[in-house]
Amino acid sequence: MKKTTLLSRFWLMGVLAASLSACHTDDSKTVQPTDNEAAFTRLLVSDAETGDLTLVNPAKQTTEKFSAPFGSNALYPTASGRFSAVVNRANNQVRFFDSGIVDHGDHADVKGTPKWAALTLEASLPTHVYVWGNRIVVFNDGEGSLSLTTEDELHTAGAKAKVIKVDVPHHGAVVPFSNGTFAVTKKDNSVAGTLPQGVKIVDENGVVVNESTIAVTSIHGDVGNGEVALFGTTSGILSVNKDGSQQLIKYPADFGTGWLGSIVYDQSSKTFYGFGAALGVYRIDLITNTLTPLLKTDQLHAFKVSNDGDVFAMLTNGTLKGFSASGSALRDLKVVDAIAADAKVKPDFSITKRYVYVTDPVKNQIIPVLRSSFSAKPAISVPGKPYRIVVIGAQQDKRGED
């Protein structure tokens, strides 16, 4: 059966909506236009220079400001989308921001107002955040430890995260498995620098279940699906199964000394992708142990997959490139000026079911790009210099009963 492309699906939806509108006689019921953002979708934007956070309601084009103790915060939405982890590595702190919106799949509930959650994590150099289900784990570089908590504990007064020591201090990462164990990076002192050289598996108390069996020079970038964890390394993609077995997927010969330092997983298509600034984006096939290019470029700035798995977006040198899930290219769109290699603050973007939102730190604004036509809409001004942007809340239009 031939798969319909993303643009075709939206064209068919538009035709159907127009047809229904033309023949419907009840004016009290209207079809939601596809170019309106969902009513309960929110964007959280951190500032590069101050502790300000801006909560954006894109459907209403309104903003609300909140304050954190420090600037240049990294943002990571929780699996439910209700919260975002607000990570300040330099100041050893992770806080959690509550959108006040709960997604129930077919509607949203409003739980109070947007606010900071009660729980704060404090550890040396918290860097890597991984979320799954209602669980949250943070790898703390400065002490080689994991901080473990759940969304249920974020508003519990006096709650503290469980902290377990897993290795010596290093720039590390963690990927959880479905059996309750964790793949964590391991630092080998035979190699200088902060990057690790292997991956071992530990339990929730930090006890080693399976030792590292493959050593490389450096590791950066990781993701998993509960059964297997993938890590970007200088020698190839390191695949670690939850039973402890490991294998290395070699890079193509034309990579030279280049390597893929970031990896993402598309839950919808069950597909892994690796990418690097000077190489582009590659699909990782764990059956054939091969890498297939999705886009070759030496100017890749960022690559992200939408939560619904229908579209991939890549930001190169100021240009946003879109691809449907089938790999068909959508339009290219120049969204920001050329990105200087030495720029202190570079654009970021995030994807909803209807839009791609790109930050412009030079003009202090967010550019909404409609997915169905890949066209830019009027920019949303934000105070300060936008640093990171994530989608939180619920991508729903209907509100349920609280």
Side-chain angles (χ1 to χ4, degrees):
M1 179 177 177
K2 185 176 180 180
K3 186 170 184 179
T4 307
T5 65
L6 179 63
L7 285 178
S8 297
R9 288 199 297 273
F10 273 103
W11 180 83
L12 289 171
M13 288 171 61
V15 171
L16 178 59
S19 175
L20 290 173
S21 177
C23 66
H24 210 295
T25 58
D26 185 354
D27 292 336
S28 67
K29 297 179 180 179
T30 58
V31 177
Q32 175 71 28
T34 57
D35 60 350
N36 284 359
E37 184 55 274
F40 293 98
T41 293
R42 300 291 183 267
L43 308 174
L44 188 64
V45 184
S46 62
D47 189 82
E49 298 171 342
T50 73
D52 290 345
L53 294 179
T54 302
L55 183 66
V56 182
N57 181 337
K60 292 185 176 181
Q61 300 279 298
T62 59
T63 63
E64 188 174 0
K65 189 174 77 171
F66 296 84
S67 295
F70 313 106
S72 298
N73 291 294
L75 304 175
Y76 300 88
T78 58
S80 73
R82 175 176 175 175
F83 301 89
S84 174
V86 180
V87 181
N88 198 281
R89 183 179 191 271
N91 292 284
N92 307 321
Q93 186 182 88
V94 180
R95 300 183 71 189
F96 295 90
F97 185 83
D98 182 2
S99 68
I101 298 172
V102 181
D103 191 345
H104 287 286
D106 61 349
H107 70 275
D109 284 348
V110 176
K111 299 294 184 183
T113 58
K115 55 186 171 296
W116 289 104
L119 180 65
T120 297
L121 307 183
E122 294 182 340
S124 179
L125 303 180
T127 305
H128 180 85
V129 177
Y130 203 109
V131 300
W132 75 109
N134 77 331
R135 306 188 69 187
I136 304 164
V137 58
V138 181
F139 191 99
N140 305 303
D141 287 1
E143 56 194 59
S145 71
L146 304 181
S147 295
L148 299 166
T149 189
T150 68
E151 288 195 41
D152 297 336
E153 296 176 321
L154 298 185
H155 276 307
T156 302
K160 293 184 179 298
K162 179 179 181 178
V163 179
I164 59 173
K165 177 79 171 176
V166 294
D167 205 68
V168 298
H170 68 276
H171 187 49
V174 54
V175 177
F177 289 119
S178 60
N179 62 2
T181 61
F182 301 89
V184 295
T185 51
K186 178 180 180 179
K187 176 65 183 170
D188 184 339
N189 290 325
S190 66
V191 180
T194 61
L195 292 178
Q197 285 69 54
V199 175
K200 60 187 176 182
I201 298 177
V202 302
D203 65 16
E204 286 205 19
N205 295 312
V207 176
V208 177
V209 177
N210 299 99
E211 269 291 0
S212 169
T213 61
I214 296 177
V216 296
T217 303
S218 297
I219 295 174
H220 188 278
D222 61 280
V223 78
N225 63 4
E227 304 303 308
V228 61
L230 298 187
F231 296 82
T233 86
T234 46
S235 303
I237 301 297
L238 178 60
S239 173
V240 180
N241 294 301
K242 69 178 183 181
D243 65 4
S245 59
Q246 303 186 10
Q247 61 179 330
L248 197 63
I249 303 172
K250 296 290 187 179
Y251 293 134
D254 61 2
F255 271 31
T257 59
W259 55 295
L260 303 179
S262 299
I263 308 176
V264 297
Y265 179 64
D266 175 22
Q267 176 66 36
S268 179
S269 66
K270 312 297 184 187
T271 305
F272 292 94
Y273 296 90
F275 57 99
L279 295 171
V281 182
Y282 287 76
R283 184 180 289 109
I284 303 169
D285 191 324
L286 296 183
I287 297 177
T288 61
N289 292 330
T290 57
L291 303 177
T292 304
L294 187 62
L295 174 70
K296 288 186 177 183
T297 178
D298 61 358
Q299 294 186 334
L300 182 69
H301 174 65
F303 169 74
K304 297 184 181 182
V305 180
S306 64
N307 286 340
D308 57 17
D310 278 342
V311 69
F312 313 132
M314 309 170 195
L315 186 61
T316 57
N317 193 20
T319 298
L320 188 70
K321 297 177 178 289
F323 288 79
S324 68
S326 65
S328 300
L330 304 177
R331 286 178 52 191
D332 290 1
L333 182 67
K334 185 72 174 178
V335 286
V336 295
D337 294 335
I339 304 169
D342 60 349
K344 292 183 178 179
V345 184
K346 297 181 180 180
D348 189 22
F349 72 90
S350 198
I351 311 174
T352 70
K353 292 180 180 179
R354 300 175 187 174
Y355 278 88
V356 181
Y357 293 94
V358 184
T359 64
D360 187 338
V362 176
K363 298 179 180 178
N364 302 341
Q365 61 187 19
I366 302 168
I367 299 96
V369 177
L370 184 62
R371 280 175 46 171
S372 61
S373 61
F374 225 65
S375 58
K377 298 298 181 180
I380 303 171
S381 295
V382 293
K385 191 180 293 294
Y387 180 64
R388 295 289 183 266
I389 182 171
V390 293
V391 177
I392 55 176
Q395 295 181 50
Q396 306 289 343
D397 289 303
K398 180 181 177 182
R399 176 173 176 172
E401 296 296 327
D402 291 348

